[in-house]
Amino acid sequence: MFYLLLLLLIVAAVTVFGLTGFGFGQLAQAGVRHTGEATLLRAVAALTGAAALAMYTWGLLIVTGAVMTAEDGGTDSSPPQSCRTAGWWERHRQGIEITDYSVHFVPLGFVCETSDGGSYDNGDVPGYVNPATFALALTSAAGAVGARRLPERGAGADGGRPKGQPDGGQPSEAGSPRPNSGA
């Protein structure tokens, strides 16, 4: 489990930097003031996607720390220290033992399982991580969908002309012979 979490952390960190670079690159291409709506929405989608992934990575880093603490063997390793939250000793006196733990990736959390079939989140992941990740991811998805639906405006390789009109609205001369300008 620990190696999977480390792999996810590395992939997420690289993706955050990639999305950030793409978002700022979109804004830098033509300048912020001269950027079309679709390009601006693509940049917003990339940057909020990077923020969502950064927030998720922060929570994943916290969960990885809880897993490392729980898997640390030794004299004081049972029950896992990550599961020793407020009230665990009272549950222990009532005969309810902590038997195992699991990691939930969506919503992100470290969950301790008890002998009576119940479970509880240990509370290591701050309460703002999951809602902020969801809100930022939703904003990113909305920006990406909006950018896809908007036509691109601004000077591109075709000089900003609409498709099918090569020279300022004049029809193409592909089928007509060229006039001979020479003798």
Side-chain angles (χ1 to χ4, degrees):
M1 173 66 71
F2 174 71
Y3 293 112
L4 174 66
L5 289 171
L6 275 179
L7 178 65
L8 283 174
L9 283 171
I10 291 169
V11 168
V14 168
T15 306
V16 164
F17 284 111
L19 284 172
T20 303
F22 177 78
F24 284 124
Q26 288 288 302
L27 292 175
Q29 272 181 344
V32 177
R33 291 184 183 190
H34 302 292
T35 303
E37 290 96 2
T39 304
L40 189 60
L41 279 175
R42 272 195 302 273
V44 166
L47 292 173
T48 55
L53 196 53
M55 184 66 66
Y56 186 81
T57 303
W58 170 245
L60 196 61
L61 187 63
I62 294 169
V63 169
T64 303
V67 169
M68 287 177 60
T69 302
E71 289 184 359
D72 185 28
T75 307
D76 194 28
S77 64
S78 182
Q81 290 184 5
S82 298
C83 292
R84 297 179 191 175
T85 59
W88 80 273
W89 188 250
E90 288 78 27
R91 285 190 299 270
H92 171 71
R93 287 185 186 170
Q94 295 171 357
I96 301 171
E97 301 294 332
I98 299 168
T99 57
D100 203 3
Y101 67 89
S102 61
V103 173
H104 290 180
F105 290 99
V106 177
L108 195 57
F110 185 89
V111 178
C112 302
E113 299 167 3
T114 58
S115 61
D116 65 346
S119 62
Y120 61 93
D121 191 297
N122 75 342
D124 279 357
V125 177
Y128 62 85
V129 170
N130 287 314
T133 300
F134 178 73
L136 288 167
L138 191 62
T139 303
S140 178
V145 168
R148 184 89 170 138
R149 294 192 175 268
L150 279 177
E152 186 63 42
R153 294 183 190 150
D158 62 352
R161 291 184 298 268
K163 290 183 182 178
Q165 296 182 355
D167 292 321
Q170 300 295 326
S172 175
E173 297 178 13
S176 62
R178 298 185 128 200
N180 191 356
S181 62

